[in-house]
Amino acid sequence: MKYLLFVLLFCLGFNTIKAQDNVDEALAYQYFQQAEYEKAATLLEKLFNRSKNDGYFDLYFTSLLKIKKYGEAENLVKKLIKQYPQKLNYQVALGRIYQENGKAAEANKIYYTAIQNAPKNEFQYRELANSFYRIEAYDMAANTFLQGRKALGDELLFTFELLSIYRFKKDKQALISEYLNTLPVNPQLLPQAQSVLANLFEDNSDYMLLQAALLKKLQKQPDVEIFTELLIWQYIQQKDYEMALRQLIAQDKRTNNAGMLLFNTANSLLANNAFATAIKAYEYIVAKGPTNELFLTAKIQLINAKYELAVQGKIDRLAMKALAEEFAQIVTQYGINNQTVFALKKLSYLQAYHLNDLPAAEKTLEQALKASNLPAAEIGELKIDLGDIYVLNKEPWEAILVYEQVAKQFDNLPIASDARFRSARLSFYQGNFKYAKSQADVLKASTSQLIANDALNLSLLISDNLQSKNDSLALMMYADAELLQFTNNSTAALKKLDSIDIVYPKNSLTDDILMAKAKIFIKNTDFQKAETSLKSLIADHSGSIWIDDAIFTLADLYENKLNNMEEAKKLYQRLITDFPGSILNAEARKRYRTIRGDNLGT
């Protein structure tokens, strides 16, 4: 009976203590979160002494440091080190006291001793590194992992932990070394490495660090393809496209298995507008012969790359005719079907805009429309292209009929809004401004943001420049210039734009002319003149309908053509701040964050 009574009293007492601990714990956490460290320390001391729980210790110890009771904290930690010499987190705590008191050398000595004395156990190294991490001693956390690698004889151990630390510290050299250490056995990390390094690197000197490290690795391990892939990527980032291709061809000749990598890189070159180098890459693949599995796709991409050069006016008329013949040969060889429609579309573009053969362009598009099983959107696009040919051929009524046909036939598709906008634009070219504005006003509610924005700009362009007879006549000249640019006659378009101020001085089109000229300069890759026009528009015409377009276009120019990331970032930020309702705002925000380095990969 006495024994039973003792047990009951013990259980009652235990439950009372436990209940009190729960109350004290809740209060201690509350005081700690509210920065009432004196009150928190009193309760946490009691809780820790009773339980020896390291969760309480961390809070108790931190509270003592916050209220600068360094002597009390030091006595506590030294006592615990004697009692539990195997628990290295107490040694780290002692080092932290010295660090807080400005005794960095003594603190580091204790830290290094803890690292050297760590048990040769993966879990123990992680625990010790986490102790350093909690007190923001990131270098010591990294040293712990590196010592663990050495002690356990595994150079790939703790890879992800080290990558995380180096990324946080923005330690470029260490990050490069760690990625190069792990990529041969973890090639799936290549996209992450590229994303992280691209966002961390600030200029070409950073890429040169990566290049030097990669070349050193390749001297010792020339057959490790992942190093070559990363080297090629860094050449592309530096826009050294020729060197990227040279490295790839050398790799292919050495191993005879870089075909897919070469093809993918050629596609990247094409995406980066490095058309001439992309052409060389595709030609190298095609030269391997029809038995190569990439022969046909490389041949098609080769023609596409030549087409892009042609569109930019970077090949002569003779080469243009040869390219048109290549597209025609694709159709001859494979017939007219939904697989070859792309060739017919591009052939018609060359015929119409570069070879001045409008009847042939019209015939080519009519052939394309006969292909079976074409998707509705594809049919709509072909008909719109045909309408554009009618505009070039000075058959505006035929063009309007085609545009209206597309608008009715595909009423529920975005292509219908495009057709209606082209009809409005044609009315503008013809000088029928009021009708063009009425059409544009309807399209301002289009579900397609791009069409709605273009329609809004056209409507405002007309309404802003019909205030006087002088402005109306100047607008007629501006419309003529726009039509000349549409027909790919940039020289005549610029001449017409420059004449407006001479013929109709003090007109209201100054900002519109600057924007139109900037677009022509960009198309002709005259980026310096484009920059001048855009800067003038932004500086002198803050109320222009083109102001947000001008800011975004100039930012894009700095980012992708003039390699001035700082100016690009400033302009994107200005667009975000000053024009929250702009259609370009979301894209500007995304680009700003990328340049700033917010998107650090996974």
Side-chain angles (χ1 to χ4, degrees), residues 537-544 547 574 579:
L537 194 160
I538 294 166
D540 301 333
H541 304 277
S542 58
S544 169
I547 187 67
R574 179 175 174 183
F579 302 93

Side-chain angles (χ1 to χ4, degrees), residues 236 268 491:
I236 291 174
S268 295
T491 303

Side-chain angles (χ1 to χ4, degrees), residues 145-186:
F145 287 128
L146 293 173
Q147 177 63 25
R149 274 184 177 176
K150 185 177 177 181
L152 299 172
D154 186 348
E155 286 301 308
L156 294 171
L157 204 56
F158 310 123
T159 290
F160 295 101
E161 291 85 351
L162 284 165
L163 285 174
S164 178
I165 292 171
Y166 295 147
R167 284 172 63 181
F168 179 79
K169 290 181 62 207
K170 297 186 177 180
D171 188 335
K172 299 167 188 174
Q173 189 67 68
L175 199 56
I176 289 169
S177 297
E178 193 58 36
Y179 272 123
L180 298 193
N181 180 57
T182 191
L183 280 173
V185 290
N186 291 302

